[in-house]
Each structure stands twice: as C-alpha cells, then as structure tokens.
Amino acid sequence: MTPSFISSDDAKAFLDSIKTTIEDYNHQYYVLDDPSIPDVEYDRLMQDLLAIEGSFPSLRTPDSPSQKVGGAALTKFDQIEHEIAMLSLDNGFKDDDLRAFEQRIKDRLNTEETIEFACEPKLDGLAVSILYENGILTQAATRGDGQVGENITANVKTIANVPLKLRGDNLPQRLEVRGEVFMPKQGFENLNELQKKAGNKIFVNPRNAAAGSLRQLDSKITASRPLRLYAYSVGILQGGDISQAQSHTQRLTCLEALGLPLCKETQVVRGFTACLEYFVKIGQVRNSLSYDIDGVVFKVNRITLQNRLGFVSKAPRWAMAQKFPAQEELTILKEVEFQVGRTGAITPVARLEPVFVGGVTVSNATLHNQDEINRLGVRIGDTVVIRRAGDVIPQIVSVVLDRRPAHSTEISFPSECPVCQSHVERIENEAVMRCTGGLVCAAQTKQAIKHFASRKAFDIEGLGDKIVDQLVDQKLIQNPTDIFALQLSELVSLERFGTKSAVNLLRAIDASKQTTLAKFIYSLGIREVGESTARNLALHFNTLDAIISANLDALKEVQDVGEIVASHLYEFLREPLNIDVLNKLVSVGITWPVIAPPSQEKQPLLGKTLVLTGMLTQMGRTEAKSKLQELGAKVSGSISAKTDLLIAGEKAGSKLTKAQNLGIEIWDENALVKYFSGLP
C-alpha cells in the first residue's frame, strides 16, 4: 500500500527509492534477461510510483520510469539536424568484397599487420540517435537523410530497454548513442495476431512493423508495440569513462555498463579469414536468432585506426556491411518494357508473374542492360529465379532452362528510343544504351524537371511527379525554365487542379527563386554530381561563371572531383543548349547569396597543399583535416613536388621518406597543435 506523506520532501525520498528499484528491475529484465521478481511485484511498484507522482506532480521528472508510458499524440515530427552525420555503410555481397575491404584498409594504413575487427550482426531495423546529457535522455532522432532526422524523442522513451537515465558514476556530459530499433520475431508474430483479431492491417515483416511503430504520431501506440533497441556505436562523446576507451568494443562495454542494451553476438576477430568464418557462423544460426538480420557489419576495432582511415562522403572507410544472399523464388517473365531515364539511359524492365519474395510481392525486376540479358540468356516466357539483391532491388539471377516453353521469344533491344524515336547509341566502355534525343525526349524532360523541382534541389512544394507529367503532356513546360512562366489560367485547366492549388503552386515557384549556388548546380542533373559534389563546386569556385569557364584541370582541383566527374561537368558546360537553359534560369530572377571569396586573413593556408600521415594522438585525423580545410588548405592523400607541408604523426612511413627526399617542410603533431592554438 502506498504510504501517505505529510511533506513533499518525504514523498521525494520515497519516490527516489522506488525509481532506483524499478530501474534496477528494468535492467535485470530488459538488458540482462534475468528478472529477480515476478511481474505482479513489478506492477505494484509501478502503481506506487504513479500514485506518488499523481499526488506530487512537481516530483515527476523526465527520467522517471513512468515516462515510458506513451504521452499525448504529436501533431507532427520536428526535424533534428545531426551534429555528427549519421553515415551509411558500404555493402559487400561476395567473399572477394570482404577481402578487398581488408586490403583497402591495409593499403591506406600502409601496413601488412593483421587488422583486428569487431564483428556484429547487421540488425534489420531502424537506425536511431539517442542523446544523453549528464546521464538524462534528452533527445532521439531517426537517421533521416544522414544530416537531418525526425524528432522521435517521445516515442523512443516508450521502448522498454531504452534507459531514460544512465547508470553508474563519472557519466559523460554529452553522449550520443547510436543503435538499431527493431521488433523481435516473437513480438512481431504476436503483434500480427492482435492486428488480425482486430481486423487491422497485417505487417509484412518485422522491419516494417518496427518502422511503422516508431513513427507513430501518438506515442501511446508506440508504447504498445514490442520494440527493442541494441546500441552499436557513439556519435557525440564528451567526458566520462567511455571517452578513455581505446577500441570500438571497449566503447560497447562502457555503453553496457551505463545500462544500454547490446547485441550479444558481437565478437572480436583478427584478419579476413576469421571475419569470413564469423560471417558463415552467423549465417548458419540466422534463422534461430530472436531478431531479423540481413548480414554482418565489420568494423576496424581500434579507434586510432578508425580516425586514420576517416570517411568518404557517405560512409566510413573503416566499416562495411557484408550482406547475406537474398531470398529467391521462381516466377515467369511475361514481357519486357524499356524505360528511358533522366540521363537518357534505356533500361529493360522485366514484367513478372507476381511472386512473394524477401517480405514483399515482386512483379517487376531490372534487367540492367543488353549485356546482362545476353549473360543470362533469358527469353520472354522463361521461368526465372528472382532475387531481391541486397534485400532492396529485385533482379533476375538465372533461367530455369528445362522449363523453357516452346513459345518463348528473344528479347530485342530497341534501336530507337521508345519515347521519342531518336537514335539509340552505346558509348564506348559503357554497358548502358542511351537515347540521343536530349531535350526533345519527353521521358528525359519529365525526369529532368522532376529532379529540378525535388526537395534537395529547388524544393518546389506542390510540383510533384503527377503534376509534372500533366504539364509536360499538355506541352506547358518542356524544360526547367518554363516552370517560371506558368500562368494561373494554364494550371487551373489541368485535371483535378483548383484555383487554390494553382495559386499555392505559383507562390511556391516564386519562393523557390531564392536558392543557393550549391542547390542550383545540383538541380541541373549533371551525371554523378550529387549534393556533396555540388556543394564542393560552389565553395571552390564561388560563382556560376567561374564554374562554367573552368577547364578540366581546374575542375579536378575541386575536392572529391575526379577524372570522370570532371569530364561529365566539362561536357555538360560546353553544350550550348545547356548554357542557354542556365542563362534563361538566371534571367527569370533565380538568385542565391553571394559566396565571399576566401581571404588570406581568415584562411592563412589558402593555396597550400598539405598531406597528413602517421598516427595523430592528440586529435583525430578527421578533425585535423577538417581544421586545415577550414583554414584554406587543400589536404591531399599523396606526396608530390606540389606539396607544401607534411604533417607526420607517429609511425609515419613512406610519405615521410618521400617528403624528406623532396625537401618538403615537415611538422610533427606538436607543431600542428601549437599552430592551431596560436590562431586568433
């Protein structure tokens, strides 16, 4: 029975005791899987907690176990910008991919020493970021696009094994825990049984169920779903014992001591052979695990080596995901259609007898190109093996020849574009065939305009794919410049398009004229020029005119722009029709903030080429590189006569020797740190 209290001080003391006891039991039950009390006793303690907080609302704190109960429904999800980007992982599908991953690491580290890896099952759920400040859960977000995610704090608080308050002493001031939210197989089956009895939608697989449950606007619904979390890494890390960890697995051990749940199948091994053995072993027990996995994640274990290896634009160089072979099924290839993409690429798409595979019903699959059709030897009417490659893209992997019917027919690649009848050509050294119609091809026009209006480009709200299709079909727009000449009378004439919708779209079009140079470049749809490359181009050249007039060598000076991307850029910007479109876009009033050219005062290393080598112990290689780039330096990966300065950390190898032979200035890490500290 809950005691009566005369003062809030007495109530607080009792409440603190109950909260500590409940958190201990939560830890035993959800993390250690070793409960020491029956459920009924736990329920009594929780009722006492709720009763005291009901009598003394001021004593209810964000870290109370009661806050795992769903709160009021949210009206929308706010956006959260990740302080440290949540990157994805490069994928491998064959043993050779894993072998090549290890070799790339050795090459980059310039070592033949056996590499130690942390091996973890790749959970098939939803990646999340959970921020603790002084031990208290203050924020949770989805991965989103890696830069910005959804605020799901209220929902994450309802997950049973997510602690609202960290355990132990010497807690970090700020700790961002990254992990996977998933739904155990048994919980998924129980949920679907309840859904079926209630006449509600049946979930296809545990991952979809987890994603749908975590993104509920009403956190009470999330609280009712059997979600769990496994932590697998950290992002922001300030203070605490965990800051002293020297390896990835030491960090995981620290997370576990703080009360966070971990995947028990994690293991440390050395070298490719041991990694492959772990992969095979986990694959063999995959179906017996209590949760779904779709592969194994391999991470270089030592933090210092992770820092030396760094990142590419979307993934760490020190980690990869090796995927299990996807599930396969048999079906019939009924016909092949040829689709024309935004860049003119013509892709054969197989229309299949619908088949359930990999958790979804598949009725289409890509055949990629003529080479792939020839390799498979596939014909219309064949029985084929369909696979969801990487558990995402369905593809035909083989033909069952002994089931080939007498009426099967050969697949003929068109010599003319199926949309505009322009000539189809195949560029040397490319497997893809492309329409030469360019701007006269309606398929390319539609895709180009859809890309131009997309969220990451001009972000024109209301100009969705179906509206673009109508506008192009009605010949109201033929290229992006026509968007800005649209009239109200033209829009209201479209099917299911009222005056209000038309006015809103015109306002959105007008508002989109204020953009950034980076988004403008990205919106043009130049092959292989994504957001990151567009941003680098804008920061490097500062103006559109400078980008247009740049030659190949100048373009290759831009960070992450190599020979191929530079060639695509150069050819695009030498095409008069493209330049005409660019000039028209500027003439309709599209503007962006002026990018101030770099100054020697703010960027004292402007024009200098630096190289980092060896192990940095006072700061990470990534941090050092970022600071040097902010100061105007170009940080290269190789030594040449054009190198101005080499920063040599511990165990510097061949780069140091080469720099000495070339007479290049050399600093050690102490000199670099002293230079940084002396800056205004």
Side-chain angles (χ1 to χ4, degrees):
M1 180 180 294
T2 307
S4 300
F5 298 100
I6 299 174
S7 70
S8 62
D9 288 341
D10 292 337
K12 184 179 185 305
F14 189 75
L15 185 65
D16 288 344
S17 174
I18 287 183
K19 286 163 62 175
T20 300
T21 302
I22 290 176
E23 284 299 336
D24 285 339
Y25 290 149
N26 281 338
H27 185 69
Q28 292 172 8
Y29 187 92
Y30 294 115
V31 179
L32 302 179
D33 291 326
D34 188 21
S36 61
I37 61 169
D39 289 346
V40 64
E41 181 62 20
Y42 180 90
D43 291 340
R44 290 191 189 104
L45 286 169
M46 183 60 75
Q47 289 304 312
D48 286 348
L49 174 69
L50 293 171
I52 297 170
E53 289 182 345
S55 300
F56 298 88
S58 63
L59 298 181
R60 187 184 297 116
T61 59
D63 63 311
S64 170
S66 68
Q67 298 309 295
K68 287 187 181 293
V69 179
L74 304 176
T75 57
K76 64 178 181 179
F77 287 118
D78 293 329
Q79 303 296 298
I80 290 179
E81 186 170 355
H82 300 299
E83 294 182 37
I84 300 175
M86 290 189 71
L87 302 179
S88 56
L89 294 174
D90 288 333
N91 291 327
F93 300 94
K94 305 185 296 292
D95 294 352
D96 286 346
D97 295 332
L98 182 56
R99 191 193 307 273
F101 168 65
E102 181 193 46
Q103 191 58 51
R104 286 196 301 273
I105 289 171
K106 288 185 174 182
D107 291 345
R108 187 165 287 276
L109 295 176
N110 193 25
T111 183
E112 287 303 317
E113 293 181 6
T114 303
I115 305 297
E116 186 178 82
F117 293 95
C119 311
E120 306 167 0
K122 186 177 182 298
L123 298 162
D124 197 12
L126 224 66
V128 297
S129 159
I130 305 175
L131 181 64
Y132 290 89
E133 295 180 300
N134 295 316
I136 304 300
L137 192 161
T138 59
Q139 176 180 288
T142 62
R143 181 203 301 274
D145 62 4
Q147 301 292 333
V148 177
E150 298 165 324
N151 186 338
I152 52 169
T153 307
N155 289 353
V156 165
K157 283 185 173 183
T158 72
I159 299 175
N161 68 342
V162 174
L164 302 179
K165 182 179 181 180
L166 299 179
R167 301 168 62 85
D169 301 316
N170 193 24
L171 299 176
Q173 288 82 48
R174 300 183 80 219
L175 171 65
E176 180 193 8
V177 177
R178 292 181 172 181
E180 197 86 353
V181 170
F182 62 98
M183 187 173 289
K185 294 175 183 176
Q186 188 59 54
F188 169 73
E189 293 175 7
N190 294 342
L191 175 62
N192 262 352
E193 190 63 30
L194 292 173
Q195 293 287 102
K196 185 177 180 180
K197 289 180 179 178
N200 295 329
K201 175 185 175 183
I202 302 298
F203 292 101
V204 174
N205 54 51
R207 188 193 184 284
N208 286 354
S213 300
L214 194 58
R215 290 196 173 100
Q216 291 291 326
L217 293 180
D218 185 350
S219 60
K220 291 179 182 177
I221 298 177
T222 305
S224 71
R225 303 284 172 80
L227 296 177
R228 295 293 182 270
L229 169 90
Y230 278 159
Y232 57 65
S233 70
V234 301
I236 301 165
L237 178 55
Q238 297 175 6
D241 293 336
I242 190 172
S243 298
Q244 307 305 313
Q246 301 298 305
S247 69
H248 172 70
T249 47
Q250 285 178 12
R251 283 183 172 176
L252 292 182
T253 300
C254 291
L255 289 178
E256 188 172 40
L258 292 170
L260 289 150
L262 306 178
C263 178
K264 305 301 182 185
E265 279 70 35
T266 297
Q267 184 177 330
V268 177
V269 305
R270 294 176 62 83
F272 161 79
T273 301
C275 285
L276 186 58
E277 289 172 353
Y278 177 89
F279 181 81
V280 172
K281 181 183 72 175
I282 289 296
Q284 290 171 343
V285 301
R286 176 186 184 186
N287 292 333
S288 64
L289 295 174
S290 63
Y291 49 86
D292 272 355
I293 62 174
D294 57 1
V296 171
V297 177
F298 298 100
K299 301 174 182 176
V300 173
N301 198 29
R302 286 174 55 192
I303 302 300
T304 53
L305 295 186
Q306 289 185 8
N307 292 336
R308 287 176 61 189
L309 289 164
F311 303 82
V312 292
S313 59
K314 292 185 178 179
R317 290 192 178 97
W318 43 265
M320 74 165 289
Q322 185 83 350
K323 306 297 282 294
F324 290 128
Q327 293 174 301
E328 299 177 346
E329 262 294 355
L330 294 179
T331 188
I332 305 294
L333 173 57
K334 297 168 64 178
E335 61 178 314
V336 174
E337 295 180 2
F338 294 90
Q339 295 182 346
V340 184
R342 178 170 58 85
T343 62
I346 298 178
T347 303
V349 177
R351 304 302 184 192
L352 307 167
E353 192 71 40
V355 60
F356 191 79
V357 55
V360 299
T361 299
V362 172
S363 56
N364 303 314
T366 178
L367 283 166
H368 298 291
N369 49 56
Q370 184 69 64
D371 289 349
E372 180 70 0
I373 292 172
N374 295 341
R375 184 188 70 79
L376 291 168
V378 64
R379 298 167 65 96
I380 295 171
D382 274 343
T383 296
V384 296
V385 177
I386 187 76
R387 174 192 292 163
R388 292 189 67 208
D391 292 337
V392 176
I393 305 170
Q395 67 177 24
I396 293 173
V397 294
S398 62
V399 178
V400 184
L401 291 176
D402 59 5
R403 295 192 185 184
R404 174 168 285 171
H407 63 269
S408 68
T409 57
E410 185 177 344
I411 300 170
S412 299
F413 217 95
S415 59
E416 294 183 345
C417 172
V419 174
C420 70
Q421 287 72 56
S422 296
H423 175 65
V424 171
E425 67 176 0
R426 182 170 179 174
I427 299 173
E428 187 177 358
N429 298 325
E430 282 196 8
V432 176
M433 293 187 178
R434 297 182 186 277
C435 165
T436 60
L439 295 177
V440 303
C441 181
Q444 294 182 65
T445 299
K446 286 181 179 179
Q447 294 305 314
I449 292 172
K450 289 173 184 177
H451 176 77
F452 181 88
S454 65
R455 182 176 62 84
K456 295 179 180 180
F458 267 67
D459 192 18
I460 303 177
E461 187 176 350
L463 192 56
D465 290 356
K466 291 183 178 180
I467 301 300
V468 170
D469 289 341
Q470 283 195 70
L471 290 169
V472 174
D473 292 342
Q474 296 296 322
K475 301 191 184 319
L476 295 176
I477 55 175
Q478 297 301 317
N479 65 61
T481 62
D482 296 333
I483 294 173
F484 300 94
L486 286 170
Q487 301 296 314
L488 182 64
S489 58
E490 295 172 328
L491 291 175
V492 295
S493 67
L494 298 177
E495 185 179 354
R496 296 189 298 275
F497 214 88
T499 301
K500 183 177 180 180
S501 298
V503 170
N504 288 339
L505 177 55
L506 290 175
R507 287 174 177 168
I509 290 171
D510 189 60
S512 74
K513 291 180 180 179
Q514 307 300 315
T515 185
T516 65
L517 179 56
K519 286 189 173 184
F520 183 85
I521 297 166
Y522 173 74
S523 76
L524 302 176
I526 304 170
R527 290 182 64 192
E528 298 192 43
V529 176
E531 289 180 278
S532 178
T533 301
R535 183 167 56 251
N536 290 340
L537 285 163
L539 293 176
H540 184 91
F541 289 107
N542 302 137
T543 68
L544 180 60
D545 288 341
I547 297 173
I548 292 173
S549 60
N551 59 28
L552 275 170
D553 288 337
L555 290 170
K556 285 187 285 187
E557 288 293 316
V558 179
Q559 187 173 338
D560 297 329
V561 173
E563 187 79 38
I564 295 175
V565 178
S567 178
H568 289 323
L569 277 161
Y570 185 80
E571 294 302 323
F572 181 93
L573 296 171
R574 292 303 172 278
E575 169 56 54
L577 287 175
N578 293 334
I579 298 300
D580 182 54
V581 170
L582 265 63
N583 290 334
K584 287 181 178 177
L585 287 170
V586 173
S587 70
V588 299
I590 292 173
T591 59
W592 49 81
V594 174
I595 301 175
S599 66
Q600 203 69 43
E601 180 182 352
K602 293 184 178 180
Q603 295 187 305
L605 297 180
L606 190 64
K608 301 291 185 181
T609 299
L610 280 67
V611 174
L612 292 165
T613 189
M615 184 185 304
L616 300 183
T617 59
Q618 300 179 56
M619 68 178 69
R621 284 278 292 274
T622 302
E623 180 186 358
K625 179 179 178 180
S626 178
K627 287 185 176 181
L628 291 169
Q629 288 175 333
E630 288 175 5
L631 295 172
K634 177 184 177 182
V635 181
S636 175
S638 58
I639 293 285
S640 72
K642 295 182 179 179
T643 303
D644 296 293
L645 175 65
L646 174 72
I647 311 297
E650 296 179 8
K651 299 181 181 180
S654 59
K655 291 179 182 177
L656 176 58
T657 303
K658 187 173 182 179
Q660 291 169 336
N661 293 337
L662 291 172
I664 293 168
E665 185 179 358
I666 299 170
W667 289 3
D668 61 13
E669 185 178 7
N670 288 331
L672 179 64
V673 172
K674 183 177 180 181
Y675 176 75
F676 285 154
S677 63
L679 294 171

